[in-house]
Amino acid sequence: MTSVQGTAVDIPTEDGVADAYLAHPGDGAPRPAVLVFQDAFGLRPQLRSMADRLAEAGYTVLVPNVFYRHGRAPVFELPEFIDPGARPEIFEKIVPVMQALTPELAMRDAGAYLRWLAERPEVADGPVALTGYCMGARLSLLTAGTYPDRVAAAAGFHGGRLATDAPDSPHLVAGRVTAELYFGHADDDPSLPPEQIERLAAALTEAGVRHRCEVYEGAPHGFTQADTASYHPEGDERHWAALLDLLKRTF
């Protein structure tokens, strides 16, 4: 098994400093970069563990705290295991912070993350890959469309609101995407109803984007997050297989 080095890092942005977690193989050799976009609960041990697993597979992985404008991680006080009873109180705090991260701000930050990665000795030359979870799936798609020359592949898992009627819906960037995309959708997900799944797939197909969109039967929203009651082991392992396969094809 590849040894992994994980460190806390700070990334200068146009609006301040984003704290983040960087993981890479212990030999320090330049590796292809993977930028990981968090779910709504934010940068925490679960996401660091996921970054370490990607680093074990041979990648340099960055997980920024996209809520840095509201404080360093953990931005929210979370229990070790997030059960349904805790969620209403937690989301009272999370939702306003999510809403404050507009697409414009998020993409300004994404540019900073990509520039920072390009300057790191642990990162190989060339484009990067993206993966995102929950709200991070939206950020992954938006980043692929906003910085097409920097993104070779992008994935999203149990994403919500990917193809809405809003004028800034993520699916509207499809025409600018040059990366290969993969989406693993949660089954019966209120945040991504069937009509949005169809609209997303249609937009990607019409734009000629190489992509695959799959619904994980029986896997609820949040199925990759082992520190929540939504965790679905079979869906999570399917997600890892799909993500690593995408990365192998890309790099």
Side-chain angles (χ1 to χ4, degrees), residues 29-133:
R31 305 297 177 97
V34 181
L35 175 58
V36 177
F37 288 114
Q38 66 178 59
D39 64 354
F41 297 125
L43 179 56
R44 60 194 192 283
Q46 165 63 20
L47 290 182
R48 294 185 183 95
S49 175
M50 295 174 75
D52 288 348
R53 182 165 174 176
L54 279 171
E56 286 177 358
Y59 303 98
T60 293
V61 186
L62 180 68
V63 191
N65 166 25
V66 303
F67 294 150
Y68 71 89
R69 292 177 180 83
H70 302 269
R72 297 179 71 87
V75 177
F76 313 106
E77 184 176 348
L78 300 171
E80 288 188 12
F81 184 77
I82 306 169
D83 61 45
R87 286 178 180 250
E89 179 182 349
I90 292 171
F91 270 98
E92 284 183 8
K93 301 174 182 177
I94 290 177
V95 169
V97 174
M98 289 178 60
Q99 292 174 339
L101 186 64
T102 63
E104 180 183 5
L105 290 178
M107 290 305 96
R108 195 156 72 207
D109 292 342
Y113 306 148
L114 292 170
R115 287 191 296 273
W116 187 87
L117 282 170
E119 297 171 356
R120 294 294 298 194
E122 306 92 342
V123 175
D125 293 338
V128 308
L130 317 170
T131 185
Y133 303 88

Side-chain angles (χ1 to χ4, degrees), residues 94-187:
I94 290 177
V95 169
V97 174
M98 289 178 60
Q99 292 174 339
L101 186 64
T102 63
E104 180 183 5
L105 290 178
M107 290 305 96
R108 195 156 72 207
D109 292 342
Y113 306 148
L114 292 170
R115 287 191 296 273
W116 187 87
L117 282 170
E119 297 171 356
R120 294 294 298 194
E122 306 92 342
V123 175
D125 293 338
V128 308
L130 317 170
T131 185
Y133 303 88
C134 179
M135 60 167 280
R138 297 201 305 274
L139 299 181
S140 182
L141 177 53
L142 285 170
T143 302
T146 304
Y147 301 97
D149 60 327
R150 292 287 295 122
V151 179
F157 298 91
H158 48 81
R161 300 182 57 78
L162 294 173
T164 71
D165 294 326
D168 58 359
S169 176
H171 79 287
L172 297 176
V173 304
R176 302 197 297 272
V177 172
T178 58
E180 180 177 352
L181 304 185
Y182 178 90
F183 290 96
H185 303 309
D187 191 15

